[in-house]
Amino acid sequence: MARLSVIGTGYLGLTHAVCMASVGHTVVALDIDEAKIAALHNGVIPFHEPGLAQMLVEQLDSGRLAFTTSWQHVADNADIHFLCVGTPQLQGSHAADMSQVFGAVESLAPLLTSPCVVVGKSTVPVGTAQSLADKIISLAPAGQSAHLVWNPEFLREGFAIKDTLHPDRIVLGVQHDVDVDALKDVYETSLEGGTPLVVTDYPTAELVKVAANAFLATKISFINAFADLADTVGADVTTLADAIGHDTRIGRRFLNAGVGFGGGCLPKDIRALQARATELGLAEQFAFLTHVDAINKSRRSRVVDMATDALGGSVSGKDITVLGAAFKPDSDDVRDSPALDIAVTLAGLGANVTVHDPEALHNVRALHPMLSTDDDVLVALANADLVLHLTEWVEYRELDPAVVGSIVNQRIVIDGRNMLDRESWSAAGWQVTYLGKPGSQAAL
Ligand code: UDX
């Protein structure tokens, strides 16, 4: 079994550290945030990811997983170092902020005195891996025997453990003919389970990640454009998605129309890809991503307009309950969340907005203290003039429309995820409005 380090303990790094310990490796995970490391050391994780808290405690108990803030400790106790720090969008630009990635390498490399592998997992602009490899060789006392491998991650929040232990593929980008045996050993369990392995060069490995996310984002905006067309002509976008999805060349997944994509990856990754392509003189080829982004953002204003129409032309002074704040279910992540964005906009227009979410309210309160929140969904729904269903948590689909109908002020719901059962909600006297389904909304 290998001695690993993981640099950065966000969604990616923490999940990777815990999962690698669970398959038998010895793992030390580093973060520069001392409070976070102290909490992790005590088995407390700062975000919601199904199954991860329990697995963290199990792996701490196994003695194979430890946390530190010491770069020297990491260099002394691992032979393979995974870079899992964030690459958020730069303020005032579409490009990625690479300071954490370069900062991590500048801290670690001077301490690498013996042969080792540095493995990049963060999502980066193409060309970064080569710069990092050069930097490592120039800074590390181990010189040429400190190799860089590029190994993009594809984990989805809510499925992070499964996606780490049983990914759809493992991609390893290497320089020249450097062998990847050490990484094959690290991922032996997944590879033996049949996970395909793609060994390639640095730029291809870097591009696999951004190409995958650009494709997924495009698929969502594609179906959302058709949702608007469906609204205009009285067609049903869900049936349309089902029908085209039967074609295995297209596939049904990522064709759910609604308020669009959010989160810490898809929005910033398509912007960073476009920024990098533009730098490389390919602005025209990647201009389509401007439309993908614009269609996605327009979903949010569309719901605000629908809410305004449903309330007779103004939301000011009206009680609106927003079901969901996380960018998707089974996550407490509110980064670039369509649901939260809509809630904040409506509050800005003078509505009395109450937000419910099963997991994300602590983040809502920290970021938007002026928004009302309630942990009890029925309390949040009481006296609402309008209900917006914006994150498709299972518990919202399990609400009894008759019970909810008895406590609201008006039985009007806009389903921004096209998931509520029309028959039962209509039968309970609700006016249900979807995005791209007939009989639910006046033409655009
Ligand atoms: C994504 C990629 O899926 C993952 O491979 C990558 O490594 C990180 O980014 P994640 O951000 O966790 O993962 O969420 P994902 O499940 O991809 O959903 C992204 C957004 O798209 C969510 O806001 C979701 O609600 C939305 N979505 C997804 C749709 O609007 N319609 C769909 O059909 C699918």
Side-chain angles (χ1 to χ4, degrees):
M1 286 294 153
R3 298 190 317 156
L4 313 180
S5 86
V6 174
I7 316 292
T9 58
Y11 288 92
L12 164 64
L14 182 60
T15 309
H16 192 64
V18 170
C19 288
M20 290 301 103
S22 80
V23 295
H25 301 302
T26 304
V27 184
V28 56
L30 176 143
D31 204 290
I32 55 172
D33 182 337
E34 289 185 13
K36 196 172 176 189
I37 287 297
L40 290 169
H41 186 71
N42 290 320
V44 178
I45 63 172
F47 53 82
H48 175 76
E49 180 61 41
L52 193 61
Q54 191 191 337
M55 212 167 158
L56 168 64
V57 172
E58 286 164 9
Q59 295 315 314
L60 283 169
D61 288 348
S62 78
R64 287 190 298 272
L65 177 62
F67 293 95
T68 186
T69 53
S70 160
W71 292 98
Q72 190 63 56
H73 185 79
V74 159
D76 291 346
N77 289 280
D79 309 302
I80 303 178
H81 305 279
F82 287 91
L83 289 177
C84 298
V85 294
T87 52
Q89 188 174 334
L90 268 177
Q91 284 242 315
S93 157
H94 276 185
D97 177 353
M98 298 302 296
S99 57
Q100 293 181 50
V101 173
F102 280 91
V105 165
E106 281 156 15
S107 298
L108 179 66
L111 307 174
L112 300 175
T113 50
S114 43
C116 61
V117 187
V118 177
V119 188
K121 290 189 85 65
S122 307
T123 302
V124 296
V126 61
T128 303
Q130 188 60 58
S131 314
L132 291 174
D134 296 343
K135 196 171 258 299
I136 289 167
I137 288 173
S138 72
L139 293 178
Q144 304 275 358
S145 59
H147 298 296
L148 180 80
V149 174
W150 208 257
N151 171 216
E153 59 82 20
F154 301 95
L155 70 84
R156 296 161 299 166
E157 292 177 24
F159 300 90
I161 294 172
K162 179 190 165 292
D163 286 352
T164 303
L165 291 175
H166 309 287
D168 290 338
R169 71 300 214 185
I170 292 171
V171 177
L172 301 176
V174 294
Q175 208 172 16
H176 312 306
D177 52 357
V178 168
D179 77 56
V180 291
D181 290 352
L183 268 296
K184 282 188 185 165
D185 289 345
V186 168
Y187 292 129
E188 189 181 5
T189 313
S190 308
L191 294 171
E192 281 182 350
T195 299
L197 174 67
V198 179
V199 180
T200 182
D201 49 63
Y202 286 158
T204 308
E206 292 169 310
L207 286 178
V208 174
K209 172 60 191 277
V210 289
N213 274 359
F215 189 81
L216 293 172
T218 304
K219 226 176 157 183
I220 297 169
S221 282
F222 174 91
I223 201 66
N224 279 330
F226 274 91
D228 281 352
L229 187 51
D231 270 336
T232 305
V233 300
D236 185 325
V237 75
T238 305
T239 308
L240 173 70
D242 291 344
I244 62 172
H246 285 304
D247 182 334
T248 52
R249 293 172 302 172
I250 297 172
R252 177 61 178 83
R253 295 176 70 189
F254 272 72
L255 285 180
N256 289 331
V259 288
F261 58 82
C265 291
L266 258 50
K268 66 114 178 153
D269 286 354
I270 60 168
R271 292 170 200 154
L273 169 59
Q274 198 177 10
R276 184 68 180 131
T278 302
E279 274 174 16
L280 295 168
L282 299 170
E284 199 179 323
Q285 289 86 334
F286 285 84
F288 73 96
L289 290 174
T290 302
H291 297 289
V292 170
D293 204 7
I295 291 168
N296 192 54
K297 285 188 198 137
S298 77
R299 309 309 291 158
R300 304 173 186 194
S301 42
R302 169 122 174 86
V303 171
V304 171
D305 290 348
M306 288 164 73
T308 308
D309 287 351
L311 292 172
S314 170
V315 299
S316 183
K318 298 290 173 59
D319 290 336
I320 299 178
T321 301
V322 172
L323 297 180
F327 82 105
K328 69 178 201 178
D330 298 315
S331 171
D332 63 353
D333 193 346
V334 297
R335 285 176 293 173
D336 212 338
S337 165
L340 189 54
D341 200 1
I342 291 165
V344 169
T345 303
L346 289 169
L349 292 171
N352 306 315
V353 178
T354 304
V355 182
H356 177 269
D357 191 284
E359 295 291 343
L361 289 186
H362 63 108
N363 285 327
V364 177
R365 289 174 188 131
L367 286 169
H368 301 287
M370 79 298 177
L371 279 179
S372 294
T373 56
D374 205 297
D375 292 306
D376 184 321
V377 68
L378 291 180
V379 175
L381 284 160
N383 302 318
D385 296 310
L386 171 68
V387 177
L388 302 181
H389 173 238
L390 301 182
T391 311
E392 68 275 35
W393 288 93
V394 170
E395 76 171 82
Y396 298 146
R397 296 202 284 284
E398 290 174 348
L399 286 170
D400 182 336
V403 172
V404 180
S406 70
I407 58 171
V408 295
N409 190 31
Q410 300 191 99
R411 297 180 186 193
I412 310 176
V413 59
I414 296 172
D415 182 1
R417 294 290 179 175
N418 292 347
M419 292 273 176
L420 298 179
D421 177 53
R422 186 202 295 271
E423 212 171 295
S424 57
W425 283 77
S426 299
W430 285 82
Q431 174 193 317
V432 195
T433 309
Y434 301 93
L435 278 75
K437 289 164 93 56
S440 63
Q441 177 68 17
L444 292 168

